[in-house]
């Protein structure tokens, strides 16, 4: 069965002191074992400090982005191996903010996913429709296009180590959460895309997180849906009570 996976995407928030304080609190409150899989994704400059604090705890470490090349003249970029080197197990790829503000295409996300997998990282690949697309009744078509472009080129071996995050853009940072039914509909559609492209066994095993205004008070309903296997949490992951409130709400 799929294990629930709750990941905190801190985005460009917190300073070193606040990051360290938050992780210390998380490590202390989670204790030696967790019922659900957990990860925090701090800004890259704090990865190493956070790695030292989560070592030996059930909290995994993830980065928020990376470049697909292994090394070279790519000023400002980080390679997959560098992320592994500082203790990352996960990397968020293709977040809508990267697609929107930094022009990342499906092709970029696909290349990054392949490179992350080759380095032994688990990519958390994000996709989701904008409000105008949903209102035009194009949600499934948009998500399917992103699935084809960012994921479907991966081999059956590769896809099994991917986490998918469905994040409707209109629900991110807006307080406007998708209803459990709206989210479940897309998650179920994604699972059938996985089944069609790969097979039923693979589709059953892949963790699909929901992201977009997940909070402790709406998490139980979302995570109670059959195809929602976890959450990618922005704002609420910036406090221990928010993040663990969501983790504890998992069925
Ligand atoms: P919020 O939880 O702040 O809406 O952000 C969601 C998100 O983008 C996680 O990657």
């Amino acid at each position: 069965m799929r294990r629930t996976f709750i990941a905190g995407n801190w985005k460009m928030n917190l300073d070193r002191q606040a990051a360290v304080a938050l992780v210390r609190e998380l490590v202390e409150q989670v204790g030696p074992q967790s019922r659900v899989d957990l990860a925090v994704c701090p800004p890259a400059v704090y990865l190493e400090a956070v790695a030292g604090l989560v070592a030996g705890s059930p909290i995994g470490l993830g980065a928020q982005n990376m470049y697909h090349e292994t090394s070279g003249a790519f000023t400002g970029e980080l390679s997959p191996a560098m992320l592994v080197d500082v203790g990352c197990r996960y990397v968020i790829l293709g977040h809508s903010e990267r697609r929107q503000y930094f022009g990342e295409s499906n092709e970029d996300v696909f290349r990054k996913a392949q490179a992350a997998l080759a380095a032994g990282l688990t990519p958390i690949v994000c996709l989701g429709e904008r409000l105008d697309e949903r209102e035009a009744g194009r949600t499934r078509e948009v998500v399917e296009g992103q699935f084809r472009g960012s994921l479907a080129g991966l081999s059956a071996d590769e896809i099994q180590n991917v986490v998918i995050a469905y994040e409707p853009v209109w629900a991110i940072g807006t307080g406007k959460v998708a209803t459990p039914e709206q989210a479940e509909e897309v998650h179920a559609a994604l699972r059938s895309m996985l089944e069609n492209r790969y097979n039923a066994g693979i589709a059953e095993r892949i963790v699909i997180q929901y992201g977009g205004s997940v909070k402790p008070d709406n998490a139980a309903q979302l995570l109670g849906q059959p195809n929602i296997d976890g959450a990618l949490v922005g704002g609420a992951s910036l406090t221990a009570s928010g993040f663990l409130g969501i983790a504890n709400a998992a069925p």
Side-chain angles (χ1 to χ4, degrees), residues 54-68:
V54 297
S57 88
I59 303 171
L61 182 67
Q64 299 174 16
N65 181 35
M66 49 156 250
Y67 196 53
H68 66 270

Side-chain angles (χ1 to χ4, degrees), residues 68 99 103-114 145-146 148-151 153:
H68 66 270
R99 293 177 187 261
E104 281 189 19
S105 64
N106 286 325
E107 176 67 24
D108 294 327
V109 178
F110 171 66
R111 276 204 221 104
K112 289 182 181 203
Q114 267 196 318
Q146 292 169 330
R148 286 221 177 98
S150 314
L151 287 167

